[in-house]
């Protein structure tokens, strides 16, 4: 067993000890003390009802340092789409995308492209072949990422099974850019700018200058926590200013498909699962960039990790889920 596996085992073993076998039940603080044994983990923030109750940076990392949140940015793109719908820029999830991206449709495009909707892109049910995983490098090496995503062969019908693909959220970024005449970064800074603590730093762009929808976005863990709190609070800031409609949040958190990789539900840019008996919605980025929201406990938790280390096949993502489960139990104890 390697060093990382031993450290992870130490954490899970510690967390799994029944409370009666310990001097005191674990608190948020002691849980984050133990979490340091998860070597890829860089930061954790726990927020309850809009207030940060505890936060940690490990191995020289800080909750105020910018980090690449990877695919957790797909949840932010989903928010921008919802705001665009509320503003009348887009018609709604059932709107067909082909007329919006007509200039980028490849010659001889599969006619099924005409059936793809905004909702299909949000829920990863476009049917187009994936541009994530093994296809990602080839996709971002192309001269036109939008056209290349639309030219992928169909692996299912639009509205069929979930095919997790960053190309789908990039198409949403392109649609927002074309329909508003403004960059997606400008929209995010404008539409989400009133949210205290929210800021997007660097963000990769494609050869046409369109910001990469759903990857390569830099934010601080505190900024990601502020975004999570906006959703936990039903789309309103702490000052009561509405930025995202409550209807859109409810719509986004409805399960529409399931991931074949982990079995979790998926809505519009958010994963859904039960952890420690609580319904949890979460954004997940490669390496273990996690934004968890537990509505019933008024709990928002951010965890960031080494972006170069895979979190799924290494088991690190499961370790983070287990840590969240212990945080949930500690939150319940704090309520009693």
């Amino acid at each position: 067993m390697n060093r990382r596996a031993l450290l992870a085992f130490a954490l899970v073993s510690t967390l799994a000890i029944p409370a009666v076998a310990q001097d005191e039940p674990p608190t948020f603080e002691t849980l984050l003390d133990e979490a340091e044994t998860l070597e890829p983990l860089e930061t954790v923030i726990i927020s309850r009802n809009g207030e940060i109750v505890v936060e940690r940076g490990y191995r020289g990392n800080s909750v105020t340092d910018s980090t690449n949140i990877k695919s957790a940015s797909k949840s932010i793109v989903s928010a921008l789409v919802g705001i665009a719908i509320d503003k009348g820029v887009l018609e709604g999830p059932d709107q067909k995308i082909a007329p919006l991206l007509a200039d980028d449709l490849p010659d001889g495009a599969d006619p099924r492209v005409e059936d793809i909707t905004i909702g299909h892109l949000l829920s990863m049910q476009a049917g187009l072949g994936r541009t994530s995983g093994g296809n990602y490098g080839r996709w971002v090496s192309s001269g036109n990422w939008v056209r290349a995503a639309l030219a992928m062969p169909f692996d299912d019908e639009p509205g069929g099974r979930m095919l997790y693909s960053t190309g789908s959220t990039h198409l949403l970024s392109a649609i927002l850019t074309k329909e508003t005449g403004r960059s997606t970064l400008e929209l995010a800074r404008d539409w989400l700018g009133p949210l205290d603590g929210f800021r997007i730093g660097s963000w990769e762009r494609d050869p046409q200058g369109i910001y990469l929808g759903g990857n390569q976005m830099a934010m601080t863990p505190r900024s990601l926590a502020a975004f999570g709190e906006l959703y936990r609070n039903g789309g309103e800031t702490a000052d009561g200013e509405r930025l995202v409609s409550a209807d859109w949040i409810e719509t986004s958190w409805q399960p529409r498909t399931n991931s074949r990789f982990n079995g979790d539900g998926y809505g519009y840019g958010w994963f859904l699962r039960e952890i420690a008996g609580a319904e949890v919605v979460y954004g997940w980025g490669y390496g273990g960039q996690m934004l968890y929201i537990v509505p019933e406990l008024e709990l928002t938790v951010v965890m960031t990790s080494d972006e170069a280390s895979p979190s799924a096949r290494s088991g690190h993502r499961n370790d983070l889920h287990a840590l969240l489960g212990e945080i949930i139990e500690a939150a319940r104890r704090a309520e009693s």
Side-chain angles (χ1 to χ4, degrees):
M1 187 178 291
N2 61 31
R3 182 170 181 269
R4 187 219 167 263
L6 285 168
L7 291 170
F9 179 77
L11 172 67
V12 174
S13 297
T14 301
L15 296 181
I17 297 173
V20 295
Q22 303 178 24
D23 292 335
E24 295 290 342
T27 65
F28 292 145
E29 288 79 7
T30 58
L31 286 171
L32 295 201
D33 288 343
E34 294 292 343
E36 188 170 9
T37 60
L38 295 177
E39 193 167 315
L41 187 63
E42 294 183 345
T43 68
V44 180
I45 299 175
I46 301 175
S47 178
R48 293 210 71 189
N49 197 22
E51 299 290 335
I52 294 176
V53 293
V54 63
E55 57 187 8
R56 285 280 199 288
Y58 305 107
R59 290 167 285 279
N61 294 287
S62 170
V63 296
T64 59
D65 290 340
S66 192
T67 191
N68 187 346
I69 66 170
K70 296 290 188 176
S71 286
S73 59
K74 289 177 171 64
S75 302
I76 296 172
V77 171
S78 174
L80 297 178
V81 171
I83 295 170
I85 291 171
D86 291 338
K87 290 180 177 293
V89 174
L90 299 175
E91 296 172 8
D94 294 331
Q95 185 175 5
K96 302 292 180 64
I97 70 164
L100 304 177
L101 298 172
D103 293 341
D104 287 308
L105 290 178
D107 295 335
D110 189 306
R112 286 175 287 185
V113 169
E114 302 288 339
D115 297 326
I116 300 173
T117 66
I118 287 173
H120 292 151
L121 296 179
L122 286 164
S123 63
M124 301 293 173
Q125 294 176 284
L128 293 166
R130 301 171 65 239
T131 59
S132 294
N135 293 329
Y136 184 82
R138 179 166 55 89
W139 175 57
V140 297
S141 297
S142 69
N144 186 315
W145 299 359
V146 173
R147 188 168 299 167
L150 291 168
M152 292 295 289
F154 276 79
D155 287 342
D156 203 347
E157 300 299 314
R161 73 182 189 277
M162 181 181 181
L163 295 166
Y164 189 86
S165 176
T166 296
S168 288
T169 37
H170 189 60
L171 294 180
L172 292 169
S173 182
I175 289 169
L176 288 168
T177 301
K178 292 175 184 295
E179 292 304 295
T180 63
R182 303 166 69 190
S183 76
T184 321
L185 178 58
E186 184 181 355
L187 294 177
R189 289 175 171 171
D190 181 8
W191 292 350
L192 296 173
L195 178 61
D196 186 35
F198 178 85
R199 182 181 179 276
I200 296 173
S202 62
W203 191 0
E204 187 173 337
R205 291 188 285 180
D206 74 7
Q208 286 66 49
I210 297 170
Y211 285 93
L212 175 51
N215 201 6
Q216 303 299 91
M217 178 190 289
M219 292 179 66
T220 68
R222 279 190 184 169
S223 183
L224 188 57
F227 175 73
E229 273 297 296
L230 175 70
Y231 262 61
R232 186 205 59 78
N233 201 38
E236 290 187 353
T237 68
D239 296 330
E241 182 176 357
R242 178 159 297 284
L243 302 183
V244 183
S245 71
D247 286 345
W248 180 252
I249 294 174
E250 181 180 355
T251 296
S252 299
W253 288 355
Q254 291 176 7
R256 300 176 186 279
T257 185
N258 292 87
S259 168
R260 69 182 179 89
F261 297 108
N262 60 19
D264 289 353
Y266 196 74
Y268 284 165
W270 294 88
F271 287 93
L272 307 99
R273 71 177 289 137
E274 183 179 293
I275 297 178
E279 295 299 322
V280 177
V281 293
Y282 71 98
W284 168 34
Y286 182 89
Q289 323 313 321
M290 315 300 292
L291 170 58
Y292 295 107
I293 303 174
V294 190
E296 69 187 71
L297 293 171
E298 299 179 326
L299 187 66
T300 299
V301 178
V302 166
M303 304 180 192
T304 65
S305 306
D306 179 4
E307 67 176 78
S309 301
S311 62
R313 65 176 180 266
S314 70
H316 181 56
R317 182 197 59 204
N318 293 338
D319 292 341
L320 299 181
H321 287 346
L323 175 57
L324 178 70
E326 294 298 324
I327 291 170
I328 288 171
E329 296 292 359
R332 290 193 179 114
R333 287 192 294 272
E335 282 189 338
S336 61

